[in-house]
Amino acid sequence: MKHFFLAISFLIAFVSCNNKKQTSQTSETLDYQKDSTTIKQLFNTALTQGKSYQWLDYLSNEIGGRLSGSPEAQLAVEWVEKLMNDLDFDNVWLQPLMVPHWIRGEKEEAFFTINNQNYNVPICALGGSIATPKNGVTGEVIEVHSLEKAENLGEKLRGKIIFFNRPFDDTLIHTFKAYGGCVDQRGSGARVVGKYGVLGVIVRSMTHSIDDFPHTGAMSYRDIPENEKVPTAAISTKAANLLSEKLKENPTLKFFFKQHCETLPDAPSYNVIGEIKGSEFPNKYITVGGHLDSWDLGDGAHDDGAGIVQSIEVLRLLKLNNIKPKHTIRVVLFMNEENGLRGGKKYAEEAKKNNEIHVAALESDSGGFTPRGFTFDANSKNIDLFMSWKPLFAPYGLHDIAKGHGGADIGPLKSETISLFGYRPDSQRYFDYHHASTDTFDKVNKRELELGAASMASLVYLIDTYLN
């Protein structure tokens, strides 16, 4: 027994010594005192001299919704190009590309009828949908809760309006998982049922909220024949609940909707790019960005005006604090994330063609809410390094740092060597506004927006300092 306790004592001493050695190695690698001081300066500057909220006010209220191909999208391109030149970034340029050009047209209409009584339904066309016939469509409704169930009904769908009504799973704390669990109805519902001769498709809006605001978003026919394309729209969640309830009482009720949307030929547009040249590795790049386009119902303040102004603010904060980066730090304002991802693909294509070395990329596309942390998609050798930064972020409430998705626009950059990061604010209110007319400037809190910009600047500083 004595030898047993001696062995245990030796093992504890060995583990303790080894842990101290590992801690010492980490301390030698990271200069916590210097880094924590720099990060504090970045937060102080963002909270006392920040410009992101002022910029978002202009983008949202003077320009507004910025759907790809629209005059507003072009105004946004011109405005952010001038802004970055005024901020005296080392290089600012436009990267040309062609984007889808879909227009909504006149306001949509919808109602359902029971015993000669009409119930009005808040509705909006989904991006990419065709219009209804001039006088709209009227038909009986079949309610389904999955693509598979719709497919299984087959010919029973013919001549009907198909109602996809799977709601968000409210038990999921991570609201983007709830969104991911439903969005296939919006994206692929019409493609799945169009071959059965349906009259149209209506989809429950992608939100937790039970309200009267329909949420738009992209849908796709994905190479199906013209005669299988059917008009597709989203209805509000309150209307979806009411329709479902009334269908149980009156399975043969008639639903009417009319929309005037149209897809025009692709239009010219641009990614807007600005950069600060690196002092040691000018040909190695760290990209930070968001998407400049937005849906047309609201201002696109959270999605993704917040990400745009935060990304520009990152470079401004580095300059204000006299931080001279080793790598070239590049802000990219991507066009056409919402209905095509053309900007992200074009940027990655040009980077590859020019043999650019991208060390890391950070995307902000989850709204301007209170910062919670970052997700990262990286090779295994860098994971321990990223996790060692947690104590530096902890004083600012940035506790959620874990492996995960980087972002849609930076995704095409993915390789074995690049590290992709996603900025993650609190997501509980995000889908109240996502793709709806409620996504307006008044829903963004100034301090939360500024804290997000400082959080992103701090991460970029650490990436620049410790990644080669």
Side-chain angles (χ1 to χ4, degrees):
M1 184 64 71
K2 177 180 178 182
H3 293 295
F4 173 77
F5 282 115
L6 283 172
I8 292 296
S9 299
F10 175 78
L11 180 60
I12 291 172
F14 174 80
V15 170
S16 176
C17 179
N18 193 48
N19 285 341
K20 287 179 181 178
K21 182 179 179 181
Q22 290 178 350
T23 303
S24 174
Q25 288 174 338
T26 302
S27 299
E28 289 171 6
T29 304
L30 304 181
D31 188 340
Y32 281 104
Q33 184 60 50
K34 176 179 177 293
D35 294 338
S36 62
T37 299
T38 301
I39 289 171
K40 179 61 176 171
Q41 289 172 345
L42 290 168
F43 272 86
N44 288 351
T45 306
L47 294 170
T48 59
Q49 302 176 51
K51 293 289 186 181
S52 57
Y53 192 69
Q54 175 185 324
W55 297 335
L56 185 61
D57 185 358
Y58 187 91
L59 183 64
S60 300
N61 293 319
E62 299 301 322
I63 296 178
R66 306 168 295 281
L67 194 56
S68 292
S70 69
E72 292 81 7
Q74 179 59 29
L75 286 174
V77 165
E78 295 168 4
W79 176 69
V80 292
E81 180 190 22
K82 181 180 184 302
L83 174 61
M84 291 197 288
N85 275 314
D86 291 345
L87 291 170
D88 199 28
F89 293 166
D90 293 334
N91 295 305
V92 177
W93 71 99
L94 302 180
Q95 186 175 72
L97 64 150
M98 299 298 289
V99 297
H101 189 190
W102 178 86
I103 56 174
R104 184 173 300 281
E106 297 175 33
K107 184 172 175 57
E108 304 90 341
E109 304 172 50
F111 59 83
F112 61 88
T113 305
I114 302 175
N115 299 327
N116 296 319
Q117 180 180 354
N118 291 342
Y119 295 80
N120 289 326
V121 172
I123 191 169
C124 66
L126 292 179
S129 175
I130 63 171
T132 59
K134 183 178 179 180
N135 294 322
V137 294
T138 302
E140 293 182 4
V141 177
I142 292 182
E143 179 180 351
V144 292
H145 292 87
S146 73
L147 301 181
E148 293 74 20
K149 289 180 180 177
E151 186 83 69
N152 290 340
L153 287 172
E155 285 298 318
K156 295 178 181 178
L157 304 177
R158 189 168 297 276
K160 302 295 197 297
I161 293 173
I162 313 309
F163 171 33
F164 287 95
N165 191 33
R166 182 165 77 255
F168 273 28
D169 182 347
D170 287 331
T171 67
L172 295 173
I173 304 304
H174 186 2
T175 61
F176 281 85
K177 290 184 178 178
Y179 175 70
C182 294
V183 74
D184 62 339
Q185 302 170 103
R186 188 193 76 199
S188 301
R191 179 180 56 79
V192 167
V193 301
K195 60 192 171 188
Y196 297 113
V198 305
L199 297 177
V201 169
I202 54 176
V203 180
R204 181 188 186 91
S205 285
M206 300 290 111
T207 176
H208 290 278
S209 295
I210 306 299
D211 59 29
D212 280 323
F213 300 102
H215 294 232
T216 190
M219 58 79 62
S220 172
Y221 296 115
R222 206 171 69 193
D223 300 324
I224 65 175
E226 285 295 320
N227 65 346
E228 293 183 8
K229 294 180 179 179
V230 295
T232 309
I235 64 174
S236 73
T237 49
K238 281 183 72 172
N241 288 349
L242 179 62
L243 178 58
S244 181
E245 175 189 325
K246 294 300 183 181
L247 280 169
K248 292 178 176 63
E249 302 169 4
N250 303 272
T252 60
L253 67 79
K254 295 294 182 66
F255 189 96
F256 164 86
F257 76 106
K258 180 166 64 172
Q259 58 192 39
H260 308 270
C261 43
E262 183 180 2
T263 298
L264 302 176
D266 284 0
S269 192
Y270 306 90
N271 292 330
V272 189
I273 305 172
E275 66 183 18
I276 300 173
K277 295 298 288 184
S279 58
E280 294 183 34
F281 311 111
N283 296 320
K284 290 185 176 182
Y285 301 92
I286 298 169
T287 290
V288 55
H291 63 87
L292 190 52
D293 62 307
S294 76
W295 286 106
D296 55 322
L297 297 181
D299 300 339
H302 275 296
D303 185 21
D304 185 30
I308 290 302
V309 298
Q310 287 173 328
S311 298
I312 299 171
E313 184 77 307
V314 167
L315 271 66
R316 176 177 170 271
L317 291 174
L318 296 176
K319 284 173 66 70
L320 276 181
N321 285 280
N322 295 314
I323 297 172
K324 302 188 186 308
K326 298 189 299 181
H327 304 81
T328 293
I329 312 296
R330 184 180 283 176
V331 58
V332 182
L333 311 181
F334 299 95
M335 183 58 71
N336 184 233
E337 186 272 347
E338 292 292 5
N339 60 337
L341 206 65
R342 301 272 185 91
K345 292 175 180 176
K346 180 67 172 181
Y347 181 73
E349 174 189 314
E350 290 295 313
K352 183 177 181 180
K353 185 169 73 175
N354 296 328
N355 294 314
E356 293 179 350
I357 301 170
H358 279 72
V359 173
L362 165 63
E363 184 167 340
S364 174
D365 186 18
S366 299
F369 302 101
T370 302
R372 291 289 183 246
F374 303 96
T375 50
F376 57 84
D377 181 0
N379 58 45
S380 57
K381 76 173 186 177
N382 287 326
I383 292 175
D384 289 343
L385 173 64
F386 301 153
M387 297 304 289
S388 75
W389 297 342
K390 291 185 76 169
L392 292 165
F393 289 126
Y396 307 96
L398 295 161
H399 301 293
D400 298 336
I401 299 172
K403 293 182 67 175
H405 180 58
D409 279 309
I410 62 175
L413 288 170
K414 185 174 173 61
S415 70
E416 291 298 316
T417 55
I418 191 172
S419 297
L420 304 178
F421 293 85
Y423 167 61
R424 292 293 175 261
D426 187 285
S427 71
Q428 299 310 313
R429 290 171 289 155
Y430 182 67
F431 289 100
D432 293 356
Y433 313 123
H434 181 255
H435 296 181
S437 62
T438 50
D439 185 7
T440 50
F441 176 70
D442 58 298
K443 308 304 190 307
V444 179
N445 177 275
K446 179 176 182 289
R447 185 172 177 85
E448 292 177 350
L449 185 72
E450 292 168 345
L451 286 168
S455 302
M456 292 167 61
S458 300
L459 178 63
V460 169
Y461 159 75
L462 291 172
I463 294 170
D464 179 62
T465 302
Y466 293 108
L467 283 185
N468 292 322

